Amino acid sequence: MMLEELIEFLKRDSFQDTEAGLLSFPAYVYTYDPSKEYQMREELVTLKKRLDRPKSWQECLVLNIYHEMIDYLENRKFGNQSMWQLLLQNESKNTSKVRKDLTRHLHSNEFIEHLNAKIKEHLTVDSEKNKSYVFIHGWGSIFPFLRAHTFLNKMEDKIKHYKMILMYPGQYKDGYYVMFGELESDTIYRGSCLNQLIGDQ
């Protein structure tokens, strides 16, 4: 199981403590082999179930950033159509404009607030379980319209009382995250590489 080490690490009381670790910016990036994308998604479901057992007692939130994009655009209306419908209709007519519009929407404060509101709702619903972790995946599907480092920068003042974990299809090398093993980021993410933390234990 490719996420076994991650699961065991997340079960540790010391890491589940949201007041421990990167207090100034509690965001982490977990890299995985992009060729195992669908295996990762299946195991993420298993991870959520295993952390939801009495020993860990964690109620995790898992969000697919691509699905959240669609949800956000479907709920933004232009006349009697959604923005998502309009973008799909115009994709073949003016690809360049659609790509620019999509990038603009995903970089907007409104989209970030859409995600932040879902996270807040999850955190505030009464539960006997802990809510230390929020996982976000789907970065390969949404590339290049929203990069993970841009998202983390926009979330800088919003990640509080939980730890955000980005599931990243690539590798971490020399302070950079390389998506698909080919596309090198031009920015060092503020999020700490979770794979390194696990390896150092």
Side-chain angles (χ1 to χ4, degrees):
M1 185 170 176
M2 63 183 289
L3 298 185
E4 187 64 37
E5 283 190 338
L6 175 62
I7 293 171
E8 292 303 315
F9 184 81
L10 297 177
K11 287 163 65 174
R12 297 184 178 187
D13 292 339
S14 58
F15 193 74
Q16 289 185 29
D17 183 0
T18 58
E19 301 305 315
L22 302 175
L23 299 182
S24 60
F25 192 56
Y28 301 82
V29 180
Y30 184 83
T31 63
Y32 60 93
D33 184 345
S35 68
K36 298 181 179 179
E37 174 68 28
Y38 293 103
Q39 181 182 346
M40 184 282 297
R41 294 188 186 190
E42 290 176 358
E43 292 192 15
L44 201 52
V45 174
T46 301
L47 178 151
K48 187 175 187 297
K49 290 178 180 178
R50 284 178 58 180
L51 291 179
D52 196 13
R53 294 173 181 172
K55 187 175 179 180
S56 302
W57 215 238
Q58 286 288 339
E59 186 175 339
C60 303
L61 177 64
V62 177
L63 298 174
N64 184 321
I65 191 75
Y66 180 76
H67 293 167
E68 292 305 320
M69 172 194 74
I70 295 175
D71 182 48
Y72 169 75
L73 292 172
E74 283 185 336
N75 283 287
R76 291 185 69 84
K77 303 297 182 182
F78 189 82
N80 58 359
Q81 286 187 298
S82 71
M83 287 303 303
W84 181 240
Q85 290 173 316
L86 288 173
L87 289 171
L88 291 178
Q89 289 172 9
N90 293 323
E91 186 177 10
S92 60
K93 301 174 186 176
N94 194 337
T95 303
S96 177
K97 183 178 185 305
V98 168
R99 289 172 69 90
K100 288 179 181 178
D101 286 345
L102 192 52
T103 300
R104 176 174 53 83
H105 281 297
L106 295 181
H107 284 234
S108 69
N109 291 332
E110 289 79 9
F111 178 63
I112 298 301
E113 283 304 323
H114 163 82
L115 288 167
N116 193 44
K118 286 202 170 184
I119 295 171
K120 280 186 174 180
E121 181 181 11
H122 165 74
L123 296 174
T124 54
V125 171
D126 287 340
S127 174
E128 295 180 350
K129 301 174 184 177
N130 298 312
K131 299 180 181 183
S132 300
Y133 306 128
V134 172
F135 297 86
I136 302 186
H137 67 101
W139 296 103
S141 301
I142 208 170
F143 182 86
F145 307 110
L146 178 63
R147 291 172 178 258
H149 75 266
T150 301
F151 173 75
L152 285 180
N153 287 340
K154 290 181 174 291
M155 288 293 294
E156 181 175 1
D157 61 343
K158 298 177 174 60
I159 306 176
K160 298 175 181 177
H161 310 303
Y162 69 93
K163 293 181 177 180
M164 176 175 283
I165 300 172
L166 272 55
M167 306 297 291
Y168 189 87
Q171 58 185 148
Y172 182 75
K173 185 172 67 174
D174 299 328
Y176 288 86
Y177 289 92
V178 185
M179 183 175 282
F180 306 132
E182 300 176 359
L183 304 172
E184 186 166 319
S185 169
D186 57 355
T187 306
I188 297 177
Y189 294 150
R190 293 194 58 199
S192 179
C193 181
L194 195 49
N195 306 69
Q196 286 196 332
L197 291 178
I198 295 172
D200 289 342
Q201 299 301 308

